[in-house]
Each structure stands twice: as C-alpha cells, then as structure tokens.
Amino acid sequence: MYNPCTRIDLQVDLHQNQAPILQQAYLEVRDLLLEGKSRATKPGYTVFTHNGVSLNRVAHISTLPGDSLILGRHSRCDIVLPDDPSISLRHLLLRTQQSEEGPLSFEMLSLQAPLDLKLADGSLVASLQGEGIIAAQLGKYSIIAMPSDLIPNDLPSALPGIQTLGSGPADQSIEATAISRVKARKNPSHASVLPLSAKDAVGRVTIQAQGSESTLWLSKAQLQQGVVIGRYTRCAGGAIRGLFDDVVSRTHLLLCTEAGIPVAYDLASRNGVWRSGRRIRIATLTGPMTLSLGKKQRVLVNWEPTPFPS
C-alpha cells in the first residue's frame, strides 16, 4: 500500500523549470477572467488548479474568520488532486489573512507533507504566505490563487517574475512586482521540538484516549508555526500517536493561530472534530475547551491557555 510519508513518486522533475508550466496555467486563468467568467463576487481569493491538460476553478476563500480549504488526494478534501501519488492525502491548508493595516494575503500551509511547493524560479518551499497573484507547482498540478480585487483588464500579460531574498529556507522570502509578493513560511512542527515544561508555554493540549493521557506544552512560536495532530509519523510525537486508533485520521487536527488567536482546524478528517455534540470545521481557542476526534468521544483533545485558571 502506498505510504506518502516513506515513498515519493514524483510526477514532475524537481530540476525542471516550472516557469512555462505556471505561465500557461496563469494565462488560462487570465483569459477566463477577461471573458467575465469565474470572477469572485466577495472579497478573498479564488483558487484555480491545472493538471497539465485542463483548468479548474476550484473554490473561493473569503476573508471571513475561519474560512479555509484543505487540499490533497483524499476524497474528503475541499480541493481534490487525485492523479499524483506524490501529493499527500491531506497536503495543504489554504486560507486568507487580513491584517488591520496591511493588504489581504493568501497562505498555503503544509500539513507536514513531504512534497514541497515549487515556485516559477525553481525555489522549493513547504509553506508560503503572499500578496497579489500567487502561483506554485505541486507535483503535476499548478495552483493559481487570484485576489478578488484585481480588475481583469489590469492583469499583467505574463506571470510576474520573482526575486529570491534571504539566506536560508526558514527565513527565505520571495519578492516580485507590486502585483505579487511571497514569503516562505516554516513547516508545522513535530512534537519533538515542543517545550518540555510550562516555562514558555501559552497553552497546553492534553490528549485522552484508551484510559491514558499525554500532554503537549505549546509556545507562541510553535502555535504560529502550526502543530499537526494525527496518526502519521509526521504528526505530533510518539507518546500522543500511541493513544490513537482508526477513529483518528492520519492528519486530523491542526493547532495554529489566526490573527494572533489560537485556533483548531479539522483537516477534512473522516470522523470529524466535534464540540458539544456538533461537528465543526474550526474552533477558536479563547479559553479552556474540549474537542472530540470523532463523534463517540474515544479521543479527547483538551486545550487550556496559560496562565492556567486557579
């Protein structure tokens, strides 16, 4: 059985120049918008994918808090890319970010997937956050994200070029024209880099299952980076994974921040994330909260912010 964590069959040569591929996908998107088709009516980003043969308008992500999409091979994902086995079952979380003073930005956050995004200049990034037109290659697929406030007649005739800045992958940023600015982001973390105590923690997560429990202490930086919980080895550490059974998906829950506030995202899991008997896609962790991975409450995720209540 194919395991995307241990084996990668690349459909695209990583040494190949991706510019012509992304350029063709962008031009098809531009032509579609110039024809008056697929233009968004609400603020946000519209996401298109191209499999090398045809273009698909996939979905629109609004600026509303919590609005997001999960992209991957799994049929439960919001954006399903089925034809490339190098793409993980749940590969990316897509969302918009709107700061109080800055422009709207678009984010592709890797869910600990082994295959990186590739930009037009050949740069490899696990995750990215950008403004304006965003274009990246994932395996055999091109992903084009278009902000809703761009006027079709003002779209450039070619995909904006990019200039790589910075010295390392963690701090690397890619800046293009005024139309497109992209900054690489760190990948969501493994539990091996989590704090061992409450010294610098902003919250703790206690997982209860099968009569046992395990605790993760999370710092502000790690929540900003993102922590994935699930059965896969790329998710939070062994002491946690050992509590899970098949009710928990391989990548089930993402803990991160949105506008500086801790949140929990359901990653298109098979059995869902539940709170107070209701299935939810996102939970805002402003206070103590218990989430169930699956409806039957066999696996509970308890969040408690610090300082802890007395």
Side-chain angles (χ1 to χ4, degrees):
M1 185 174 182
Y2 174 74
N3 183 346
C5 276
T6 59
R7 176 172 172 265
I8 303 175
D9 294 327
L10 294 179
Q11 298 287 332
V12 174
D13 183 357
L14 288 181
H15 300 288
Q16 179 183 352
N17 182 2
Q18 300 306 117
I21 299 173
L22 291 173
Q23 173 76 1
Q24 181 59 39
Y26 166 73
L27 289 177
E28 292 190 31
V29 170
R30 179 176 177 271
D31 290 344
L32 198 66
L33 294 176
L34 286 172
E35 293 172 3
K37 301 176 181 178
S38 295
R39 187 174 180 187
T41 58
K42 298 180 180 179
Y45 266 83
T46 303
V47 181
F48 300 82
T49 65
H50 199 295
N51 62 6
V53 178
S54 59
L55 179 72
N56 293 298
R57 179 192 184 277
V58 177
H60 182 75
I61 306 175
S62 75
T63 57
L64 294 175
D67 200 5
S68 62
L69 299 172
I70 306 300
L71 177 149
R73 283 190 299 114
H74 200 288
S75 60
R76 292 196 62 87
C77 290
D78 303 297
I79 301 175
V80 182
L81 305 182
D83 299 327
D84 188 340
S86 64
I87 295 174
S88 297
L89 293 177
R90 299 167 181 88
H91 201 108
L92 295 170
L93 182 141
L94 311 180
R95 64 180 181 178
T96 62
Q97 295 274 9
Q98 180 69 73
S99 61
E100 293 183 2
E101 299 180 356
L104 177 68
S105 65
F106 179 78
E107 186 172 6
M108 300 187 193
L109 184 60
S110 171
L111 302 175
Q112 279 297 330
L115 180 64
D116 284 340
L117 294 160
K118 193 168 189 179
L119 306 181
D121 68 346
S123 302
L124 293 173
V125 294
S127 303
L128 63 83
Q129 184 176 11
E131 303 163 7
I133 300 169
I134 307 298
Q137 191 79 15
L138 184 65
K140 68 180 289 184
Y141 289 90
S142 297
I143 303 172
I144 310 292
M146 303 289 288
S148 59
D149 59 353
L150 289 181
I151 300 173
N153 288 334
D154 292 339
L155 290 173
S157 59
L159 185 66
I162 56 178
Q163 177 184 2
T164 302
L165 305 173
S167 58
D171 298 318
Q172 182 186 51
S173 63
I174 299 95
E175 183 173 353
T177 67
I179 287 281
S180 180
R181 299 186 61 196
V182 179
K183 180 180 180 181
R185 283 202 45 156
K186 292 183 179 180
N187 213 23
S189 66
H190 291 73
S192 59
V193 298
L194 297 177
L196 298 178
S197 70
K199 181 179 178 181
D200 299 314
V202 296
R204 70 181 176 192
V205 175
T206 302
I207 309 249
Q208 297 175 311
Q210 303 181 35
S212 301
E213 68 178 39
S214 186
T215 297
L216 302 175
W217 301 89
L218 303 182
S219 70
K220 180 179 179 180
Q222 288 153 357
L223 275 178
Q224 290 174 338
Q225 186 176 341
V227 175
V228 181
I229 294 175
R231 288 189 290 111
Y232 262 172
T233 55
R234 68 178 187 253
C235 298
I240 297 292
R241 293 195 306 272
L243 302 180
F244 295 156
D245 55 23
D246 288 344
V247 73
V248 178
S249 295
R250 295 170 178 86
T251 51
H252 198 117
L253 187 71
L254 173 67
L255 302 174
C256 61
T257 58
E258 183 170 299
I261 300 173
V263 293
Y265 286 100
D266 175 26
L267 300 178
S269 62
R270 182 182 64 179
N271 292 305
V273 175
W274 297 73
R275 181 189 177 196
S276 302
R278 297 181 60 186
R279 187 166 184 167
I280 60 173
R281 284 188 61 118
I282 183 173
T284 303
L285 306 176
T286 54
M289 186 177 297
T290 297
L291 303 174
S292 175
L293 305 187
K295 186 176 182 179
K296 296 183 179 180
Q297 298 190 336
R298 286 156 52 183
V299 179
L300 298 178
V301 178
N302 299 296
W303 163 262
E304 197 169 7
T306 55
F308 303 122
S310 58

